[in-house]
Amino acid sequence: MTSKRIRFAAVGAGRVFQRYHLPCADARDAMDLVGLVDSDIERARELMADRPQVWTGTSVDRLIQETRPDLISVCTPNDAHAEPVLAALDAGIAVLCEKPLAATVEEARRMVAHPAAEKLLGVNMPFRFHPLLKPFADLVRSGAQRVEFSFATPGNRVWRACTPWYDDARRAGGGALLDLGPHAIDLLMAVFGPPVVEACEVDTPDLEQRVRVDMSFQGVPATLRIDRAARRLETSVTVTTADGDHVLDLRRNELRRANGTVEEAGQGPELAAISAYFDTVTGAATPHGKVSAQEALEVQLVVESAYGCARGVAAPLA
């Protein structure tokens, strides 16, 4: 374990930084927050009002020059991921980027192609770190006959960004599928490997709230349903085997086996990917490692394939 103190900075002072990245950093004695960039300088200054030692500004280049960080979190809207990530990589700084990797596949490819990306760039996709995923995978991987993933959330009625970029197709890059789909697809790929996308339906073009994606994993049919405007909360994956249905309920943190037994986890994975990457940089022992930029790109290519299937479709979903 390293004894060096890690100088931590962030780009984007919105909800994701406030709720996830900052608490994770504050929980680590080895990390010191030294800088915060936001397009709204007053927001950054207000957030850091009780931390006068933290540099605040609007320029990523000045952040790097003024604070000399060892680690940067990029918590900006999707269309503003690439430039701060590439600036950090150019400077040899470890960087953790929010999902999706970028608003477009082209920008995501630019980030992955950087010579330092493999070593220094991680992506915040936490579902693969759920403590019940390994026993679930061991239970269903070899005998799966059918896979169903259901993701329902009230979306922006509960999660309100500091700026309304979720409603801007250019900034967001897509709707519910690009926003929430990477979580589900990354988990499914961690269990079953890469999928083949067979069909996709969205409720509206560009900024869909509801989506259905039909895929297959080595011939096993799978359906992903996302509802970002629901009146309920659900995040669960059901795999049917010869024994019956096995359910990994990520909201309740339960693994419900077909034989009726239930295994519970003390907590969910919300901070797991951030914690794993921070631990990697600080030198703390961790069994997880990171989600690489290449893995995040592979997930985004699945999303892009689904959008390709849905292009021009704007029909109610079954």
Side-chain angles (χ1 to χ4, degrees):
M1 182 181 298
T2 182
S3 60
K4 175 186 174 183
R5 299 200 63 76
I6 300 300
R7 297 174 63 82
F8 171 60
V11 181
R15 296 282 184 260
V16 169
F17 170 71
Q18 295 173 33
R19 188 174 296 186
Y20 300 122
H21 291 252
L22 182 58
C24 264
D26 284 345
R28 285 160 172 76
D29 292 337
M31 292 179 66
D32 297 318
L33 180 64
V34 296
L36 178 62
V37 159
D38 196 88
S39 58
D40 184 343
I41 185 60
E42 292 307 318
R43 180 193 303 140
R45 288 173 177 166
E46 182 179 352
L47 188 60
M48 295 293 106
D50 61 345
R51 306 182 192 219
Q53 77 281 8
V54 175
W55 182 91
T56 56
T58 59
S59 166
V60 175
D61 289 338
R62 282 203 60 201
L63 172 75
I64 292 172
Q65 294 167 5
E66 297 284 344
T67 69
R68 297 171 288 107
D70 303 296
L71 167 62
I72 292 177
S73 279
V74 173
C75 307
T76 56
N78 297 345
D79 71 323
H81 285 180
E83 295 312 317
V85 164
L86 292 171
L89 295 177
D90 284 345
I93 298 168
V95 57
L96 178 64
C97 182
E98 270 300 315
K99 60 78 198 167
L101 193 53
T104 68
V105 167
E106 291 74 21
E107 284 192 331
R109 289 188 190 278
R110 283 178 59 206
M111 296 155 76
V112 171
H114 194 286
E118 182 177 356
K119 178 180 179 182
L120 295 178
L121 177 55
V123 184
N124 181 25
M125 292 196 295
F127 280 21
R128 70 163 66 181
F129 298 109
H130 196 286
L132 294 175
L133 184 59
K134 185 180 186 306
F136 179 70
D138 292 343
L139 186 66
V140 303
R141 183 180 281 126
S142 62
Q145 299 175 350
R146 175 79 195 171
V147 180
E148 298 268 353
F149 199 120
S150 180
F151 205 147
T153 174
N156 285 338
R157 288 184 295 172
V158 172
W159 179 270
R160 295 187 182 276
C162 291
T163 55
W165 64 271
Y166 280 99
D167 299 325
D168 184 329
R170 181 188 62 81
R171 303 218 69 188
L177 179 57
L178 187 60
D179 178 26
L180 300 177
H183 289 308
I185 294 167
D186 184 60
L187 182 150
L188 293 175
M189 290 176 68
V191 177
F192 298 110
V196 174
V197 177
E198 298 175 347
C200 179
E201 298 176 6
V202 296
D203 61 346
T204 58
D206 299 329
L207 285 169
E208 74 283 348
Q209 298 301 310
R210 298 179 179 88
V211 58
R212 168 178 169 156
V213 183
D214 291 314
M215 301 174 280
S216 62
F217 293 88
Q218 297 182 345
V220 177
T223 297
L224 168 61
R225 291 182 176 87
I226 301 175
D227 185 348
R228 199 171 60 172
R231 295 183 178 276
R232 60 191 175 90
L233 288 169
E234 181 182 1
T235 311
S236 65
V237 54
T238 301
V239 177
T240 302
T241 69
D243 298 325
D245 290 346
H246 307 277
V247 180
L248 177 60
D249 189 325
L250 288 93
R251 189 173 76 85
R252 294 181 172 85
N253 297 311
E254 292 180 348
L255 169 53
R256 299 192 289 272
R257 295 178 174 85
N259 65 8
T261 61
V262 178
E263 183 176 350
E264 298 180 349
Q267 60 183 14
E270 288 81 4
L271 303 180
I274 302 173
S275 295
Y277 191 71
F278 285 3
D279 286 347
T280 297
V281 174
T282 60
T286 172
H288 296 307
K290 68 176 184 180
V291 180
S292 72
Q294 179 61 43
E295 290 170 318
L297 173 60
E298 290 168 4
V299 168
Q300 192 157 349
L301 288 172
V302 175
V303 171
E304 185 72 4
S305 177
Y307 277 137
C309 291
R311 200 160 288 133
V313 175
L317 304 183

